Amino acid sequence: MASYNAAPLQKLIEQFEKLPGIGAKTAQRLAYFVLNMPKTEAEDFAKSIIEAKEKIRHCNICCNFTDRDNCPVCMSHTRDHSVICVVESPRDAMAMEATKEYRGTYHVLHGAISPLNGIGPDNLKIKELLNRLNNQDVQEVIMATNPTVEGEATAMYLTRLLKPLGIKVTRLAYGIPVGGDLEYADEVTLARALEGRTDL
């Protein structure tokens, strides 16, 4: 069946549909929005995508996204370099930074162990983490992988690797979200909340 849209517009819609969380209707809305932009704005938008693809790379130390050899967190003298928070993605590091509570450094794995998806330890930035532990005076590694089957498997795998090195390994506590109701929490979340309870 032939498309109702002109070919370039249809191609633009299809590109937007490839983005995570973007369905057909939203892709169409975004494509029409771009078409209605002034030409200079549309060019700036396209240039931003190309510039990000060309200039963004992995930090030599923590593997987070940066436009330099090392990211600002790794270069900072005010951060606690004896503590590393291991996260699955750069977005997770950004979420931790948003709390303004964490003063250590990060290590971004760029994924989680998932045999069903063909992702093993060699596909993650684990070697880079081990290199850091050999070359830095690290006292604690915080596992902040997601509370999913893959995230838990990754945390357990890393814990088994790190414990023999004599480094303290901790896991983020999980449980009832602030403002949440107990009656709506699932059994696993409640069990985690009980395990992670603290003194008052």
Side-chain angles (χ1 to χ4, degrees):
M1 184 175 125
S3 172
Y4 167 78
N5 296 312
L9 174 55
Q10 188 58 38
K11 189 174 177 184
L12 183 59
I13 292 169
E14 287 165 8
Q15 292 304 313
F16 277 120
E17 276 188 80
K18 291 178 184 177
L19 298 173
I22 302 294
K25 291 269 188 205
T26 304
Q28 198 173 48
R29 199 164 39 250
L30 290 171
Y32 278 103
F33 179 82
V34 169
L35 279 182
N36 287 321
M37 281 178 159
K39 188 168 189 253
T40 54
E41 280 184 34
E43 285 170 349
D44 287 344
F45 182 64
K47 281 180 198 165
S48 295
I49 294 171
I50 293 165
E51 185 178 10
K53 285 299 290 178
E54 288 175 348
K55 293 186 177 176
I56 299 295
R57 56 184 174 220
H58 293 160
C59 170
N60 289 334
I61 299 170
C62 73
C63 302
N64 202 350
F65 287 146
T66 183
D67 60 346
R68 298 191 174 93
D69 289 338
N70 299 324
C71 74
V73 171
C74 288
M75 295 301 293
S76 172
H77 298 295
T78 62
R79 303 299 287 235
D80 183 354
H81 291 267
S82 70
V83 181
I84 297 175
C85 180
V86 176
V87 294
E88 291 180 26
S89 76
R91 288 190 313 270
D92 298 332
M94 189 180 286
M96 290 289 290
E97 279 297 281
T99 68
K100 296 189 176 12
E101 293 291 323
Y102 179 66
R103 300 306 306 152
T105 60
Y106 297 96
H107 190 83
V108 182
L109 296 172
H110 291 277
I113 295 171
S114 178
L116 289 175
N117 295 317
I119 301 170
D122 292 342
N123 302 112
L124 306 177
K125 302 290 184 183
I126 293 174
K127 279 188 229 107
E128 291 82 351
L129 174 61
L130 295 175
N131 287 340
R132 287 179 74 182
L133 299 177
N134 290 329
N135 299 324
Q136 290 180 18
D137 184 25
V138 176
Q139 294 170 7
E140 181 183 4
V141 174
I142 303 167
M143 294 296 160
T145 53
N146 292 321
T148 60
V149 172
E150 295 82 4
E152 292 293 331
T154 305
M156 292 308 297
Y157 177 85
L158 288 172
T159 301
R160 277 193 225 108
L161 282 181
L162 304 184
K163 282 278 188 185
L165 302 176
I167 296 168
K168 180 181 178 183
V169 181
T170 58
R171 183 88 168 106
L172 279 189
Y174 295 111
I176 311 300
V178 174
D181 292 320
L182 284 180
E183 65 179 298
Y184 299 119
D186 61 89
E187 294 85 0
V188 176
T189 301
L190 280 171
R192 282 288 164 81
L194 277 169
E195 286 170 20
R197 67 190 185 278
T198 55
D199 293 331
L200 290 175

